[in-house]
Amino acid sequence: MMTRKVEQSQTPMLEWVAAGIGLALIIALVFVIGREALRERESEPPSIEIKLGAIRQSASGYMVAFEAINRANGTAAALTVEGTVARGEKIIERSQATIDYVPGHGRAGGALLFSHDPRRYALSARATGFQDP
């Protein structure tokens, strides 16, 4: 009679550690996706702040870079940005730009074009309107 030796396989400890890390990552991923899906993101309207950047001379006058920063969850589409150069109460020139899309807690950039040098006047910019996507 012949006896067979049955080998008992043991799973190495490193495999258990890797499986545990993988399981933890999957649970964390499901939690984050589930939380985001259940939250009402669009209930809060966009809150747009315009930050002015560098002023450069261009072929047609002066270009003022800007960044539109959305501080809320809501999304803004077709965001209109208006910039003015003024001397005291008198507005010397207006410029307008439209940004297609600014996501919630996102940023988008653009430029306003002026024929007068904005460095010689009071320069300001603000968001004047948007659409719901």
Side-chain angles (χ1 to χ4, degrees):
M1 181 165 19
M2 205 187 227
T3 57
R4 290 178 89 189
K5 188 176 180 185
V6 178
E7 286 187 30
Q8 233 182 9
S9 74
Q10 288 186 335
T11 305
M13 181 56 85
L14 186 56
E15 282 186 40
W16 284 107
V17 170
I21 290 172
L23 180 63
L25 288 173
I26 289 172
I27 290 171
L29 182 65
V30 168
F31 172 77
V32 169
I33 291 172
R35 183 189 65 192
E36 291 297 314
L38 294 175
R39 260 198 321 191
E40 290 189 33
R41 298 181 64 102
E42 298 302 321
S43 64
E44 185 179 8
S47 176
I48 306 295
E49 174 188 347
I50 305 298
K51 284 195 175 181
L52 296 173
I55 300 171
R56 294 193 173 102
Q57 193 163 2
S58 68
S60 61
Y62 297 89
M63 180 176 71
V64 179
F66 69 85
E67 186 174 39
I69 303 165
N70 188 352
R71 304 252 183 232
N73 286 333
T75 300
L79 175 72
T80 305
V81 177
E82 179 184 72
T84 59
V85 289
R87 181 182 305 140
E89 296 290 317
K90 183 180 179 189
I91 294 176
I92 306 297
E93 186 177 3
R94 290 181 198 274
S95 180
Q96 203 172 57
T98 302
I99 297 176
D100 290 335
Y101 181 79
V102 185
H105 295 287
R107 298 167 179 256
L112 297 167
L113 303 174
F114 295 98
S115 58
H116 294 83
D117 187 352
R119 294 172 286 215
R120 298 181 60 213
Y121 302 98
L123 173 63
S124 65
R126 67 186 184 97
T128 58
F130 65 89
Q131 294 177 354
D132 290 329

